Amino acid sequence: MMWVPDQEGQSPQPSVSATQHRHSAPDLAACGFSMKLFLALVACWLLALVCSDIPQPCTSPDLFEGYISELRWSQLRPAYGVFSYDAIHQRFYTSMLVYRDNKPEHQVDLFLYNESVRYKFFLGNQTCMKLPLLTPFKPFGVPKDANFLTQIYYGSPSVPEALLLMNIWNVTQDRGNVKIGFSDYGCYPLYWHIEFTDSWTLKSFFNLTMGIQDPTVFNPPLECEKNL
């Protein structure tokens, strides 16, 4: 600190050096703004961290196949068989053993969405039905409007080799609710529980493999071409 002379004969006053300016009291308004900015950044980081732990809607692979079982409220025994799924060409194939009047029957269903046609072929009596397919193609996956419910493990978390993590979602439709389970890794379908006011259906998918081994399953059976 240094003294400067008083030009009017008054007592000399101390001048403030640059060092004192640097160590002066902080600007409270600026500090408040900085704290708010810091808290906002922390809040955004925490929100991103929480959201990252919540599974997001997903779309299944374009080509895969496996086994399927289906149980309806009006059936005493489940139907089961194999299926092939092709999202690229919008087609779906099932070959299942179904029960009618408690008697087994082999039925093949072929959905060709890109042609708006469905085939139903009954191997027992070699009859075929060709029906219009008016519903649009919907790829396998979790829709964006689905509500996440929970995660469950198939197997034991202590045995990673025998573990499958499944995400369960709820989809609200006009007629009721649909609960769907998809694998956390790969977004493969595992089960659907379709519950309407007057009926319900439970579908399970298992032994899934990537790709289509025999693409000819999507060709209509020859018997269908003969009978139509």
Side-chain angles (χ1 to χ4, degrees):
M1 181 181 298
M2 65 179 180
W3 295 90
V4 295
D6 183 8
Q7 298 179 357
E8 297 182 359
Q10 299 179 357
S11 300
Q13 300 295 328
S15 65
V16 181
S17 65
T19 303
Q20 284 182 302
H21 279 296
R22 289 197 298 269
H23 294 283
S24 59
D27 188 344
L28 296 180
C31 289
F33 175 78
S34 300
M35 182 60 67
K36 291 180 180 179
L37 178 60
F38 173 75
L39 293 176
L41 292 175
V42 171
C44 291
W45 178 78
L46 291 175
L47 181 61
L49 184 63
V50 171
C51 291
S52 64
D53 294 335
I54 299 177
Q56 301 299 311
C58 59
T59 302
S60 300
D62 289 337
L63 300 171
F64 65 93
E65 55 190 4
Y67 290 80
I68 182 175
S69 68
E70 180 178 302
L71 179 63
R72 296 177 180 271
W73 67 279
S74 58
Q75 296 174 339
L76 299 177
R77 303 178 65 176
Y80 61 91
V82 297
F83 78 93
S84 297
Y85 168 77
D86 179 3
I88 299 176
H89 300 94
Q90 299 185 359
R91 50 192 184 178
F92 186 69
Y93 161 87
T94 61
S95 178
M96 304 181 68
L97 185 66
V98 300
Y99 288 87
R100 289 186 176 86
D101 299 328
N102 209 27
K103 295 181 180 180
E105 184 176 7
H106 192 177
Q107 177 178 327
V108 173
D109 286 271
L110 180 59
F111 300 82
L112 302 178
Y113 289 92
N114 54 353
E115 301 178 16
S116 301
V117 175
R118 175 188 178 183
Y119 292 92
K120 295 181 67 173
F121 178 57
F122 303 93
L123 274 70
N125 54 15
Q126 297 290 296
T127 60
C128 182
M129 301 172 59
K130 183 178 180 181
L131 305 170
L133 186 58
L134 303 179
T135 56
F137 175 78
K138 294 182 179 180
F140 276 30
V142 180
K144 294 182 179 180
D145 60 347
N147 296 317
F148 174 71
L149 297 179
T150 187
Q151 286 183 325
I152 65 172
Y153 285 101
Y154 276 150
S156 172
S158 61
V159 185
E161 295 81 4
L163 180 65
L164 177 64
L165 180 59
M166 178 174 64
N167 300 323
I168 301 178
W169 306 76
N170 184 76
V171 181
T172 303
Q173 298 184 349
D174 294 337
R175 295 179 56 194
N177 293 324
V178 180
K179 290 182 174 58
I180 54 178
F182 280 77
S183 63
D184 185 68
Y185 176 79
C187 194
Y188 286 97
L190 299 176
Y191 93 93
W192 295 348
H193 183 199
I194 307 169
E195 186 175 5
F196 296 144
T197 55
D198 55 350
S199 64
W200 57 264
T201 302
L202 179 62
K203 294 184 179 183
S204 298
F205 304 86
F206 50 96
N207 291 350
L208 306 181
T209 57
M210 290 284 290
I212 305 295
Q213 288 188 344
D214 183 14
T216 62
V217 297
F218 297 111
N219 298 332
L222 296 177
E223 291 79 5
C224 293
E225 301 298 334
K226 295 177 182 178
N227 297 337
L228 297 177

